[in-house]
Amino acid sequence: MIELFSILIQILVVTVFCYFPKNAYSYIYRKKGDFFQCLETGAVFNIFIFLCLSFFFTKNTNELLNIFLIIYFIFNLLFLVKDNLINFKKKIFKLNSLIIFFFLLIFLFSVDLANNLKIGWDAQNIWIVKKQIFINGGDILDLKHTPRDDYPYLGSYLWHMYSKLSFLGYEYFGRIFYIYLFVLSIFAISQIDNLKKIENIILILLIIFLIYKINLFNGYQEVLNFSLLILMTKKFYIFFRNKNFEKNFYLTLTPLVLIMNSVIWIKNEGTVLVMIFLGSIFLIKDIRLHIKIILLSSFIFLVLGKYFLFDYIGLANEIQKGNYEYFRIQNLYDFINLHRIFLVLKYIFFYSLEVLIYPISIIILLILINFDKKNSFILFMVSLLVLSLGFILLAFLLTSFQLEWHLWVALDRIMFQTSGFFIILVPLFYDFLRRKNLN
């Protein structure tokens, strides 16, 4: 009973830390934001703030970090109360059902996690080891003593911070943040169009039915990037759809750039995922060149910043130690041949039956492009799909590991991670069917 109560308290703590003031949201987007939009934006800034905390607070300044966290919590709590409890009678009935549904899902998934306290192989040997550095009073300078010092650490740091901020201090309380971000991203993507509450709930349940498995939260970092890719695609869709975006595009691009940064700091392949995203944007004619240059420049700055910080700390700047090191142009055929291509495609096909968003996305795109060939955003999504599949194919073809073993242990997780790009197609397709029926 105490543990259930603590889970509820932890969900409240995450909500407070992830909240973004409505006045600030209105200033950035030139419109009023609802509860979920403020949480979505706040979660993006929260991850960035925690990343900055890892840079500036060392083992010698832990007390200052605690003071900062208390001030941060109180500051956000005051805005949460001010924005949502003033005019209580007017607002509670507008959002009541969705808010209750949102917190109910997070609570149920958290209880499911509490009853299935497993940690995956990667989490045991890589991610929780990085988390232990911070638990034991270390800082980022100590990460060079971890087994895979070439891997980023942001996901482990978030895991540590939210365990530290929990009522009981249990390890899995940190993973509740993973659940929170996962559910929040699905709520965010279901609300890209003005739908009735019941329609939102149906879409949310459908997406969760297609995706949810408790092992997503076994300490793996893919679920973080999956959720962030959903938010990144949504931010760009809103930016693209807004006809007046150029009036304040520096502000509206800021959350998008922060998401890109987080993806890069969570997993090594995050850099490639952002490149795929930007490459697809560059193929859209409707986006002006100076905006493309700003996004590309931001990406280069973020990648170089990570590279120089890793170099300063003494961490390895490699894609993946022990892999891709034997590939040479001279032995190209040893890596790219019909047998290996067929093997990778076979595994992609079978894993697509597990990661159902991939075949569903292909079907949706074929239907949408047939009805609206000039829709630039649909072409953008087609580019994302082609480049994502191309990345997956090359990543495994060029591996120095035994190919079938590598496919067996890693392909499903990389497919799940990249499928975050395509969740937006579910609500878009629903909106397409709705408009078609109205016509």
Side-chain angles (χ1 to χ4, degrees):
M1 195 63 165
I2 294 175
E3 196 165 331
L4 291 178
F5 178 73
S6 298
I7 288 173
L8 288 172
I9 295 296
Q10 181 68 3
I11 293 169
L12 175 61
V13 168
V14 177
T15 301
V16 172
F17 273 102
C18 288
Y19 191 73
F20 196 75
K22 284 190 176 181
N23 288 340
Y25 183 93
S26 300
Y27 178 74
I28 292 175
Y29 293 103
R30 301 295 191 265
K31 65 176 184 178
K32 292 182 179 179
D34 64 21
F35 179 76
F36 294 109
Q37 289 168 331
C38 289
L39 275 184
E40 174 193 342
T41 303
V44 171
F45 278 89
N46 172 258
I47 294 172
F48 176 71
I49 289 169
F50 276 23
L51 176 63
C52 293
L53 293 181
S54 73
F55 299 159
F56 298 118
F57 288 97
T58 64
K59 65 183 75 174
N60 300 318
T61 56
N62 272 331
E63 289 185 7
L64 287 175
L65 174 61
N66 293 334
I67 293 170
F68 177 86
L69 291 172
I70 292 170
I71 294 172
Y72 183 13
F73 180 84
I74 294 172
F75 179 82
N76 272 20
L77 181 61
L78 290 174
F79 275 104
L80 179 63
V81 172
K82 171 185 172 293
D83 290 345
N84 296 283
L85 291 186
I86 292 177
N87 299 322
F88 176 79
K89 291 182 180 179
K90 293 180 181 179
K91 295 185 178 180
I92 192 66
F93 295 109
K94 281 186 179 180
L95 299 172
N96 186 40
S97 59
L98 277 178
I99 288 178
I100 290 174
F101 184 53
F102 173 72
F103 286 115
L104 178 62
L105 282 178
I106 295 172
F107 178 72
L108 291 175
F109 294 163
S110 299
V111 171
D112 193 17
L113 176 63
N115 290 316
N116 295 277
L117 289 178
K118 297 177 182 176
I119 297 182
W121 190 93
D122 279 9
Q124 290 181 41
N125 293 277
I126 301 170
W127 308 116
I128 203 169
V129 177
K130 296 181 186 296
K131 176 181 180 294
Q132 289 296 127
I133 291 288
F134 301 113
I135 289 174
N136 295 328
D139 54 39
I140 57 174
L141 295 174
D142 298 309
L143 290 171
K144 57 179 171 286
H145 304 304
T146 57
R148 296 307 305 250
D149 63 327
D150 53 317
Y151 281 20
Y153 67 87
L154 178 55
S156 296
Y157 191 72
L158 292 168
W159 187 354
H160 155 68
M161 287 296 283
Y162 279 106
S163 296
K164 174 180 178 176
L165 294 167
S166 65
F167 186 62
L168 293 179
Y170 291 156
E171 163 277 317
Y172 79 90
F173 275 41
R175 287 188 273 160
I176 288 177
F177 175 76
Y178 292 20
I179 292 173
Y180 196 100
L181 186 65
F182 171 79
V183 175
L184 179 61
S185 68
I186 292 173
F187 268 73
I189 207 68
S190 72
Q191 295 181 306
I192 58 173
D193 290 299
N194 294 321
L195 302 176
K196 297 177 181 177
K197 287 181 185 177
I198 187 63
E199 292 175 312
N200 275 325
I201 290 173
I202 291 170
L203 276 176
I204 290 163
L205 288 173
L206 174 62
I207 293 170
I208 286 175
F209 174 77
L210 292 172
I211 298 167
Y212 179 77
K213 295 174 184 174
I214 191 57
N215 63 7
L216 295 177
F217 307 105
N218 284 359
Y220 294 118
Q221 305 299 289
E222 283 80 7
V223 71
L224 290 175
N225 269 354
F226 167 84
S227 305
L228 289 169
L229 292 184
I230 292 177
L231 295 180
M232 188 161 70
T233 311
K234 182 201 170 180
K235 292 289 183 190
F236 178 68
Y237 173 75
I238 293 172
F239 177 80
F240 178 79
R241 189 179 61 179
N242 186 356
K243 301 299 181 184
N244 299 315
F245 63 80
E246 293 210 41
K247 291 182 180 178
N248 61 329
F249 77 93
Y250 288 109
L251 286 173
T252 53
L253 279 179
T254 299
L256 182 61
V257 172
L258 293 183
I259 297 171
M260 289 164 46
N261 183 58
S262 298
V263 170
I264 291 169
W265 277 93
I266 286 172
K267 292 214 74 186
N268 278 338
E269 63 264 28
T271 302
V272 181
L273 297 178
V274 176
M275 289 173 63
I276 289 170
F277 183 78
L278 293 179
S280 300
I281 289 176
F282 266 75
L283 295 174
I284 300 180
K285 295 180 181 178
D286 295 351
I287 301 295
R288 295 193 179 183
L289 181 61
H290 71 282
I291 296 175
K292 295 176 181 178
I293 291 173
I294 288 171
L295 286 172
L296 179 61
S297 302
S298 300
F299 170 70
I300 293 171
F301 175 78
L302 296 174
V303 171
L304 289 178
K306 176 176 173 286
Y307 176 85
F308 286 119
L309 186 68
F310 264 48
D311 188 59
Y312 172 75
I313 297 171
L315 302 179
N317 267 303
E318 298 178 42
I319 297 174
Q320 188 179 30
K321 275 186 178 179
N323 199 3
Y324 305 111
E325 57 190 30
Y326 299 116
F327 174 75
R328 301 288 185 276
I329 296 296
Q330 303 93 291
N331 60 353
L332 179 65
Y333 184 74
D334 293 336
F335 289 87
I336 303 178
N337 54 58
L338 287 177
H339 171 71
R340 286 171 69 88
I341 292 172
F342 175 77
L343 187 61
V344 175
L345 291 176
K346 182 181 78 172
Y347 270 82
I348 288 175
F349 172 77
F350 284 113
Y351 275 129
S352 68
L353 301 178
E354 182 177 338
V355 187
L356 289 171
I357 291 300
Y358 262 96
I360 289 171
S361 298
I362 292 171
I363 293 169
I364 290 175
L365 284 172
L366 288 173
I367 294 171
L368 292 180
I369 204 167
N370 184 55
F371 280 90
D372 194 0
K373 294 182 175 66
K374 296 182 180 180
N375 188 323
S376 295
F377 189 79
I378 298 304
L379 295 176
F380 166 75
M381 295 304 299
V382 172
S383 299
L384 270 181
L385 182 63
V386 172
L387 292 176
S388 296
L389 288 171
F391 159 61
I392 291 170
L393 186 64
L394 278 178
F396 286 94
L397 283 177
L398 301 181
T399 182
S400 298
F401 298 144
Q402 200 280 326
L403 180 57
E404 191 153 12
W405 172 84
H406 198 194
L407 288 165
W408 181 64
V409 299
L411 180 59
D412 58 336
R413 286 188 283 126
I414 193 66
M415 286 184 69
F416 166 73
Q417 188 176 184
T418 55
S419 70
F421 281 133
F422 313 113
I423 301 297
I424 194 172
L425 290 172
V426 177
L428 286 181
F429 187 62
Y430 175 79
D431 184 59
F432 164 77
L433 293 176
R434 188 180 59 162
R435 286 186 286 107
K436 195 176 178 193
N437 287 335
L438 290 175
N439 294 333

